[in-house]
Amino acid sequence: MGQGIANAFASAGNQVTVVDVKLEWAENGVNKICAGKDKLVEKGKISAEDAQAAKDNLKAGEYADLADCDLVVEAVLEQMAVKKELFQKLDEICKEDCIFGSNTSSLSVTEIANGIKHPVIGMHFFNPADRMKLVEVSLDRKSGLAGMPRPIS
């Protein structure tokens, strides 16, 4: 799911840093996304320019590389303890106004956000994330984001 989410954001023109437990796993993820883009070009589904633009938006990194991000979207196991542990680590790394997105469809976003300084939103991506043009977003009660304007597109 993480590769699809990274691909979707990169294809939409956003700079994306893919992070995993090991840097080599993140690099493998980026390489798979890039190989997929190349296959789409070969099949005539996307232009070489669009593929290259998305590939240029991707890089592999480590947690420290997320320090200046505006949005961090996690796609770890659907286990509360794993998500909370990751966000606690990111709480110490990311800038104050960074928003944390949790790829979850069944866990309480409010519980995930409990004890986390940063605002947390739930982001339920539909599979495959890079081809489905739908994502369900939910806010935790303390995020302070409830008054945000809702996007139309």
Side-chain angles (χ1 to χ4, degrees):
M1 196 66 164
Q3 286 180 29
I5 294 168
N7 188 358
F9 276 97
S11 296
N14 299 286
Q15 295 292 311
V16 177
T17 302
V18 177
V19 176
D20 208 321
V21 175
K22 296 181 181 179
L23 180 58
E24 67 188 67
W25 294 358
E27 290 168 344
N28 279 345
V30 169
N31 291 338
K32 287 180 183 177
I33 294 168
C34 291
K37 291 290 185 196
D38 292 339
K39 286 181 183 176
L40 290 173
V41 170
E42 288 173 19
K43 293 178 179 182
K45 303 279 185 184
I46 62 171
S47 71
E49 294 79 16
D50 287 347
Q52 191 60 53
K55 293 188 315 188
D56 288 346
N57 286 334
L58 288 164
K59 69 177 182 177
E62 298 177 325
Y63 292 116
D65 297 320
L66 304 177
D68 291 325
C69 289
D70 296 318
L71 173 68
V72 174
V73 179
E74 63 77 14
V76 299
L77 297 172
E78 189 76 347
Q79 294 178 2
M80 184 65 72
V82 175
K83 290 181 182 291
K84 287 182 75 74
E85 181 180 337
L86 175 60
F87 282 149
Q88 287 168 351
K89 179 185 286 189
L90 293 172
D91 234 4
E92 301 304 317
I93 295 171
C94 296
K95 65 183 180 179
E96 187 176 313
D97 60 345
C98 178
I99 297 171
F100 293 166
S102 180
N103 179 43
T104 185
S105 60
S106 62
L107 297 177
S108 165
V109 177
T110 300
E111 178 58 28
I112 292 169
N114 192 23
I116 306 299
K117 294 182 289 191
H118 289 80
V120 178
I121 60 174
M123 301 181 79
H124 177 207
F125 290 86
F126 292 81
N127 203 8
D130 57 325
R131 285 177 267 165
M132 295 295 289
K133 296 182 182 214
L134 180 64
V135 62
E136 176 184 35
V137 178
S138 58
L139 305 175
D140 79 274
R141 294 179 195 268
K142 70 164 186 68
S143 71
L145 299 173
M148 288 180 57
R150 295 173 8 160
I152 296 172
S153 59

